[in-house]
Amino acid sequence: MGNRVDEFNEFRSRMNKRILEVDNRPIKRFFSVDTLTYEPGALDVKTKEMLGLVASMVLRCDDCVSYHIIQCKEAGVTDTEMFDVFSVGLVVGGSIVIPHVRTAYSALKELREAAQS
Amino acid sequence: MGNRVDEFNEFRSRMNKRILEVDNRPIKRFFSVDTLTYEPGALDVKTKEMLGLVASMVLRCDDCVSYHIIQCKEAGVTDTEMFDVFSVGLVVGGSIVIPHVRTAYSALKELREAAQS
Amino acid sequence: MGNRVDEFNEFRSRMNKRILEVDNRPIKRFFSVDTLTYEPGALDVKTKEMLGLVASMVLRCDDCVSYHIIQCKEAGVTDTEMFDVFSVGLVVGGSIVIPHVRTAYSALKELREAAQS
Amino acid sequence: MGNRVDEFNEFRSRMNKRILEVDNRPIKRFFSVDTLTYEPGALDVKTKEMLGLVASMVLRCDDCVSYHIIQCKEAGVTDTEMFDVFSVGLVVGGSIVIPHVRTAYSALKELREAAQS
Amino acid sequence: MGNRVDEFNEFRSRMNKRILEVDNRPIKRFFSVDTLTYEPGALDVKTKEMLGLVASMVLRCDDCVSYHIIQCKEAGVTDTEMFDVFSVGLVVGGSIVIPHVRTAYSALKELREAAQS
Amino acid sequence: MGNRVDEFNEFRSRMNKRILEVDNRPIKRFFSVDTLTYEPGALDVKTKEMLGLVASMVLRCDDCVSYHIIQCKEAGVTDTEMFDVFSVGLVVGGSIVIPHVRTAYSALKELREAAQS
C-alpha cells in the first residue's frame, strides 16, 4: 500500500489502541458505537462508507477523509463513484472543501498505485 | 402532502425563483451546478440524495435536511434506510446533531401521514 | 417552570422517546453514550454540564444551549458562574456566538422567574 | 422600516443592553471590541460591513446576516453590490448557505419596501 | 517569491489541473463558477478577494487563507488593509481563528520579503 | 518539556508577539480580552481552562487543543479529569473529533514524559 496513507493508518491504529486502554467508559463506548454504525444494516457497507466520506469532506477533516477513502475502496467503491461523492461534498460544502478534494484525490491515487505495484 | 414540509417547500421554490431573476451570474450558475450534482452519474439519484442528506445533517441545516428528506423519499429511500443515514450523521457529527435528527424524524412522519391520507 | 423552555423540554422528551422506539441500534446506543457522558466521573456533574454548555454555545446550537442551561441550573451552577461559561464561549467562538448568548440569557431569566413564582 | 427586520433589531438591542448590565468584564469588553472593529480604519465602514456580512453568511447565522444587511444598507452598499457579496458567500460556503441567501434576500427586500413607503 | 507560499501555490495548481482532467461535470463546473465569482462585477476584484479572505479565515482553512492572501496582494490590498480584514475575521470567528491569523501573518511576511529580494 | 509541544509553544509566543506589534487596535484588544477571559472569576482558572479545552476540541482546532492542554496541566487538571473533558468533546462533537482526541492524547503524554525527565 502507498506510503503516506499507510503511515497515517498505522498512527491511527496505534493511537486509537492506546486511547481505548484508558479507563474512560464514555470514550470506549463511543468508539464501539462508531464501529457499529458502519456495519451492514438497511444500507450496505459500501453506501454507509460513502456517507461517512461525504460527511468527513463537508466537515473538512483530512484524517477522516483519508480513512473513509480507504474504507470505501475496500467496500468496492469505484473511482468514478468516488468522484461523484466528492462532487456532492464540494457543492454542499463550497470552495472551502477544495483542499480536501485535493487530499482525497491524492489518497485515491496512492491507493491505486499501491494496488498496481 | 404534510403541512409544514409543504409550506417550507413552497417558500423555498418561490424564493429561489426570485433569487434567480436577479442579474448575478455566479449565483445563477451555482444553482445550476447544484441541480446538476444530483442527476444520475456513476451513482444513482437515490445514493446521491442520501449523500446530500447526511451532509446537511452534519452541517446542521434544518432547511436542507427537510429538503433532502423529501428528495430521498421521492428517490425511493425507505424509512429504515433513512434511519441508517441518520445514524451516520449522528455518529460523525455528535450529539449536536440530535436536534436535526428530531427535525428529520418529524419531516419523515409528516410525509408518511400525507402519503396515507 | 417558564413557558418557552418548558415547551422545548416537553417537545424534546417526546421526540427523543419516539426516535428511541425506532429499531436502529447505533442511534439507540449513541443516546445511551450521551447520557453516560454526563454522569459523575473524575469530574462532577456540575463541571460536565458546564462543559456541555460551552460546547453547545461555540457550535451554535440553540436547542442544545437551552437544554444544558436547564441541566446546569439543576446541577447548582449559579448565574455568575453561568456568565463565566458564556464569556469563554463568546471569546472562543466570536461575535457569531452573540445570538446564542441572547438565547442563553433568555432561558436563564425564564428559569429564574419560574423559580420565584 | 420593514416589520420582521424591525422586530429583530428591537429584540437585539434590548437583549444586548441587558447582557451588558451583567457584571462580567470579558463579555462587556468583547462587545466593545466588536463595535470598535467596524469603525473606519485602513478600510472604510462600507467595506468592513461587507466583510462582516460575508463572514456571517458562511458561518450561517441568520441573525448576524440580518444585522449586517441593515448595517451594509446604511453604509451605502447597493443591491447589486449586495448580490456580489452573496455570491462570494455562496461559492465559498456551498449550497448549505442557500437558506441564508434566502434570508438575506428577504431582509433586503423588506428594507427596500420600507424605504419606499 | 517566498518559499512556503510558493510551494503551496505550485501544489495547488498541479492538483487542481489533475482534478479537472477527471470526467466529472459538477466538479468541473464548480471550479469554473469559483473562478467567475472573483471576476469584477458590481464590486471590484480587490473587494471580492478581501471577502474571500475573511470567509476563509472564519471557516478556518489555512490553504484558502494562503491562497486569498496571494490574490489580495496582487489585487493591491495593502498590509494595513489586510490587518483590518484579519480583525473582522478574528472578532466574528473568535479566538479559534488566532492560529489562522498566525498563518496569514506568516504568508504576508513571506510575500513582502520575496518582493524585496 | 517535550519537543513538539515545546516547539509549538515557542512558535505561538513569537508570532503572537509580532502580531501585537502591528498597529491594529481591534486585534490588540481582542488578544487582551482573550487573556482576561481565563483569569479567575466566579469560576476558577482550572474550570475555565477545561471550558477552553472542550470548546477547542469541538471546534476541531489542534493548535488550540495543544495550548489548552498545557494550560489545563498547569492549572492542576489531572489526567483522568482530562479524559472526562475529552469524552464530553467527543460525544458532543462526534467521530469527527477523534483525530483531535489523538492530538490531545499525544500532547498529554509528551507533557507527562517531560515532567518525569
Side-chain angles (χ1 to χ4, degrees):
Chain A
M1 195 184 302
N3 238 14
R4 265 199 355 189
V5 170
D6 217 22
E7 267 172 43
F8 159 70
N9 224 11
E10 190 278 328
F11 171 75
R12 191 188 152 276
S13 306
R14 182 163 41 88
M15 288 305 291
N16 286 3
K17 192 160 163 288
R18 281 189 196 160
I19 289 166
L20 290 174
E21 284 162 9
V22 170
D23 184 30
N24 184 295
R25 280 171 65 223
I27 293 179
K28 277 183 214 292
R29 295 230 182 145
F30 183 89
F31 272 79
S32 84
V33 175
D34 188 27
T35 303
L36 180 67
T37 305
Y38 297 94
E39 286 176 8
L43 296 172
D44 58 16
V45 173
K46 184 183 162 183
T47 306
K48 285 182 159 192
E49 284 298 339
M50 289 190 289
L51 294 173
L53 175 57
V54 83
S56 301
M57 289 197 94
V58 298
L59 289 176
R60 301 182 285 120
C61 172
D62 267 344
D63 279 7
C64 314
V65 165
S66 298
Y67 173 72
H68 283 291
I69 291 268
I70 299 171
Q71 300 307 107
C72 280
K73 198 84 184 177
E74 279 184 21
V77 180
T78 67
D79 282 16
T80 47
E81 287 171 335
M82 212 79 92
F83 280 107
D84 268 9
V85 179
F86 298 174
S87 75
V88 175
L90 184 58
V91 169
V92 173
S95 68
I96 211 81
V97 170
I98 292 177
H100 307 280
V101 175
R102 288 195 286 262
T103 301
Y105 182 89
S106 295
L108 203 58
K109 188 166 161 283
E110 214 181 289
L111 289 173
R112 198 167 42 221
E113 289 167 0
Q116 288 164 351
S117 68
Chain B
M1 196 184 299
N3 238 14
R4 267 202 352 194
V5 170
D6 218 21
E7 267 172 43
F8 158 69
N9 225 9
E10 190 279 327
F11 171 75
R12 191 189 152 276
S13 307
R14 182 162 41 87
M15 288 304 291
N16 285 3
K17 193 160 162 286
R18 281 189 196 162
I19 288 166
L20 290 174
E21 284 162 9
V22 170
D23 184 29
N24 185 294
R25 281 170 64 222
I27 294 179
K28 277 183 213 294
R29 295 230 183 145
F30 183 88
F31 273 79
S32 85
V33 176
D34 188 27
T35 303
L36 181 66
T37 305
Y38 298 95
E39 286 175 9
L43 297 173
D44 58 14
V45 173
K46 184 183 162 185
T47 306
K48 285 182 158 192
E49 284 298 338
M50 288 191 289
L51 294 172
L53 176 56
V54 83
S56 301
M57 289 197 95
V58 297
L59 289 176
R60 300 183 286 120
C61 172
D62 266 343
D63 279 6
C64 314
V65 165
S66 298
Y67 172 71
H68 283 291
I69 291 268
I70 299 172
Q71 300 306 106
C72 280
K73 198 83 185 180
E74 279 184 21
V77 180
T78 67
D79 282 18
T80 46
E81 287 171 334
M82 211 79 94
F83 280 106
D84 268 9
V85 179
F86 299 175
S87 74
V88 175
L90 184 58
V91 169
V92 173
S95 69
I96 211 81
V97 171
I98 292 177
H100 307 280
V101 175
R102 289 196 285 263
T103 301
Y105 182 89
S106 295
L108 202 58
K109 189 166 161 285
E110 214 181 290
L111 289 173
R112 197 167 43 223
E113 289 169 0
Q116 289 164 349
S117 69
Chain C
M1 197 185 297
N3 240 14
R4 267 201 351 192
V5 170
D6 217 22
E7 267 171 43
F8 159 70
N9 225 10
E10 190 277 328
F11 171 75
R12 191 189 152 275
S13 307
R14 184 162 39 88
M15 289 303 292
N16 286 2
K17 194 162 162 286
R18 281 188 197 164
I19 289 166
L20 291 174
E21 285 163 8
V22 171
D23 184 30
N24 183 295
R25 281 170 66 222
I27 295 179
K28 277 184 213 293
R29 295 230 184 145
F30 183 89
F31 273 79
S32 87
V33 175
D34 188 28
T35 303
L36 180 67
T37 305
Y38 297 94
E39 285 177 9
L43 296 172
D44 58 15
V45 174
K46 184 183 161 183
T47 306
K48 285 182 159 193
E49 284 297 339
M50 289 191 290
L51 294 172
L53 176 57
V54 83
S56 301
M57 289 197 94
V58 298
L59 289 175
R60 301 182 287 119
C61 171
D62 267 344
D63 278 6
C64 314
V65 165
S66 298
Y67 173 71
H68 283 291
I69 291 268
I70 299 171
Q71 300 307 107
C72 279
K73 198 84 186 181
E74 278 183 22
V77 180
T78 67
D79 282 16
T80 47
E81 288 171 334
M82 212 79 93
F83 280 106
D84 269 9
V85 179
F86 299 174
S87 74
V88 175
L90 184 58
V91 169
V92 172
S95 69
I96 210 82
V97 170
I98 293 178
H100 307 279
V101 175
R102 289 196 284 265
T103 301
Y105 182 88
S106 294
L108 202 59
K109 189 166 161 285
E110 214 181 290
L111 289 173
R112 197 167 46 223
E113 289 168 0
Q116 286 164 351
S117 70
Chain D
M1 195 184 301
N3 240 14
R4 267 201 352 193
V5 171
D6 217 22
E7 267 172 43
F8 159 69
N9 225 10
E10 191 278 327
F11 171 74
R12 189 188 154 276
S13 307
R14 182 162 42 86
M15 289 304 291
N16 286 3
K17 192 160 164 285
R18 281 189 197 162
I19 288 166
L20 291 173
E21 285 163 9
V22 171
D23 184 29
N24 184 294
R25 281 170 66 223
I27 293 179
K28 277 184 213 294
R29 294 228 183 147
F30 183 89
F31 272 80
S32 86
V33 176
D34 187 28
T35 303
L36 181 66
T37 305
Y38 298 95
E39 286 177 8
L43 296 172
D44 58 15
V45 173
K46 184 182 161 184
T47 305
K48 285 181 158 192
E49 284 298 339
M50 289 190 291
L51 294 172
L53 176 57
V54 82
S56 301
M57 288 196 95
V58 297
L59 289 175
R60 299 182 287 119
C61 171
D62 267 343
D63 278 7
C64 313
V65 165
S66 298
Y67 173 71
H68 282 292
I69 291 267
I70 298 171
Q71 299 307 107
C72 279
K73 197 86 184 179
E74 278 185 20
V77 180
T78 66
D79 281 17
T80 46
E81 288 172 334
M82 212 80 92
F83 280 106
D84 268 9
V85 179
F86 299 173
S87 74
V88 175
L90 184 58
V91 169
V92 173
S95 68
I96 209 82
V97 171
I98 292 178
H100 307 280
V101 176
R102 288 196 284 263
T103 301
Y105 182 88
S106 296
L108 203 58
K109 188 165 161 283
E110 215 181 288
L111 289 173
R112 197 168 43 224
E113 289 168 0
Q116 287 164 350
S117 69
Chain E
M1 195 185 300
N3 238 13
R4 267 203 351 194
V5 169
D6 219 21
E7 266 171 43
F8 158 70
N9 225 9
E10 191 278 328
F11 171 75
R12 192 191 152 273
S13 306
R14 182 162 41 87
M15 288 303 292
N16 286 2
K17 193 161 161 288
R18 282 189 196 161
I19 288 167
L20 290 174
E21 284 163 9
V22 170
D23 184 29
N24 185 294
R25 281 169 66 222
I27 293 179
K28 277 183 215 291
R29 295 230 182 146
F30 183 89
F31 273 79
S32 85
V33 175
D34 188 27
T35 303
L36 181 66
T37 305
Y38 297 94
E39 286 176 8
L43 297 172
D44 57 16
V45 173
K46 184 182 161 183
T47 306
K48 284 182 159 192
E49 284 297 340
M50 288 191 291
L51 294 173
L53 176 56
V54 83
S56 301
M57 289 196 94
V58 298
L59 289 176
R60 300 183 285 118
C61 171
D62 267 344
D63 279 6
C64 313
V65 165
S66 298
Y67 172 72
H68 283 291
I69 291 268
I70 299 171
Q71 299 307 106
C72 279
K73 198 84 184 179
E74 278 184 21
V77 180
T78 67
D79 282 17
T80 47
E81 287 172 336
M82 212 79 94
F83 280 107
D84 268 9
V85 179
F86 299 174
S87 75
V88 175
L90 184 58
V91 169
V92 173
S95 68
I96 210 82
V97 171
I98 291 177
H100 308 280
V101 175
R102 289 196 285 262
T103 301
Y105 182 88
S106 295
L108 203 57
K109 190 165 160 286
E110 213 181 291
L111 289 174
R112 198 166 44 222
E113 289 167 1
Q116 288 165 350
S117 70
Chain F
M1 195 184 300
N3 238 16
R4 265 201 353 192
V5 169
D6 218 21
E7 267 171 43
F8 159 69
N9 224 10
E10 190 278 327
F11 171 75
R12 191 189 152 275
S13 305
R14 182 162 41 86
M15 289 303 292
N16 285 3
K17 193 161 162 288
R18 281 188 196 163
I19 288 166
L20 290 174
E21 284 163 10
V22 171
D23 185 30
N24 184 294
R25 281 168 66 222
I27 293 179
K28 278 184 214 292
R29 295 230 183 144
F30 183 89
F31 273 79
S32 85
V33 175
D34 188 27
T35 303
L36 181 66
T37 305
Y38 297 94
E39 286 176 9
L43 297 172
D44 58 16
V45 173
K46 184 183 161 183
T47 306
K48 285 182 159 192
E49 284 297 340
M50 288 190 291
L51 294 172
L53 175 57
V54 82
S56 301
M57 289 196 94
V58 297
L59 289 175
R60 300 182 286 120
C61 172
D62 266 344
D63 278 6
C64 313
V65 165
S66 298
Y67 173 71
H68 282 292
I69 291 269
I70 299 171
Q71 299 307 106
C72 279
K73 197 85 183 180
E74 278 184 22
V77 179
T78 67
D79 282 16
T80 47
E81 287 171 335
M82 212 79 94
F83 280 107
D84 268 10
V85 179
F86 298 174
S87 74
V88 175
L90 184 58
V91 169
V92 173
S95 68
I96 210 82
V97 171
I98 292 177
H100 308 279
V101 175
R102 288 196 286 262
T103 301
Y105 182 88
S106 295
L108 203 57
K109 188 165 161 287
E110 215 181 289
L111 290 173
R112 196 167 44 223
E113 288 168 0
Q116 287 164 350
S117 69

